[in-house]
Amino acid sequence: MSVPKYTSVFLAKRFLNTNRAAIREKLPLKDPASQRARDQKKKLLMKQAKDFLPYRLDYFAKLYGYHYDRLRFSHANTRWGSCSSNGTISLNIGLMNLPEKLRDYVLIHELAHLNHMDHSKAFWAEVGSHDKNYRDHRRRLKGYSPSV
């Protein structure tokens, strides 16, 4: 539940308790079989991602002179990856469903964030210096969803 920052926990809980039945009626029911299949798919993608992505990320990091401190995996619904200011790169396990060129573009994109924590002209110039077709890759990536 999202509430304004100034809302008290008491009021939020009271709202939930008062409206619990109505909220449950509006939530879609999930088929247990499809949920199990989704869980299995996530487990398989996580294994594939852990077996492949660290080596591919290291390859590009060494090739282009980057250093990151930590790699973590997620299954976020909206992001292919992220890079924190402390040098942690997060990659979505859904990358394993992408064509290789698009997966490589995401890795290069996140590594470039180690030097530019924004999407400035300098950032895109750096991405472009490592991936000449980044504009096409970026456009094609929009046709896929990171959701697993």
Side-chain angles (χ1 to χ4, degrees):
M1 179 168 117
S2 296
V3 297
K5 191 176 184 178
Y6 51 83
T7 303
S8 71
V9 173
F10 171 79
L11 284 177
K13 284 183 178 180
R14 187 171 78 181
F15 175 84
L16 284 174
N17 289 332
T18 304
N19 297 290
R20 188 174 309 276
I23 293 169
R24 283 198 172 131
E25 284 179 24
K26 293 194 185 293
L27 292 175
L29 292 176
K30 292 186 178 181
D31 176 23
S34 65
Q35 185 62 40
R36 278 193 301 277
R38 184 173 179 264
D39 292 345
Q40 285 300 109
K41 184 176 182 180
K42 281 172 36 178
K43 189 183 275 187
L44 176 63
L45 285 174
M46 182 65 82
K47 181 178 178 0
Q48 291 174 339
K50 285 182 175 181
D51 288 347
F52 178 79
L53 292 175
Y55 299 103
R56 194 68 176 161
L57 187 66
D58 282 344
Y59 167 77
F60 285 121
K62 288 177 181 155
L63 182 65
Y64 299 126
Y66 291 104
H67 172 76
Y68 60 95
D69 290 325
R70 188 169 163 241
L71 172 61
R72 58 181 292 275
F73 297 96
S74 74
H75 48 84
N77 288 327
T78 58
R79 293 177 167 226
W80 290 109
S82 64
C83 179
S84 71
S85 57
N86 67 0
T88 297
I89 292 180
S90 298
L91 298 175
N92 191 313
I93 61 174
L95 287 168
M96 299 310 297
N97 291 328
L98 292 179
E100 184 178 356
K101 295 282 186 193
L102 300 184
R103 187 172 32 216
D104 288 349
Y105 159 73
V106 172
L107 299 179
I108 290 168
H109 181 111
E110 297 311 328
L111 286 168
H113 276 308
L114 293 167
N115 292 335
H116 306 279
M117 293 304 293
D118 55 17
H119 289 110
S120 63
K121 285 184 179 184
F123 167 81
W124 289 114
E126 188 164 330
V127 171
S129 71
H130 306 315
D131 179 359
K132 301 296 182 213
N133 297 316
Y134 81 90
R135 285 184 180 94
D136 179 55
H137 295 151
R138 184 174 182 219
R139 182 187 53 76
R140 287 178 45 211
L141 188 62
K142 292 176 194 243
Y144 294 88
S145 170
S147 180
V148 176

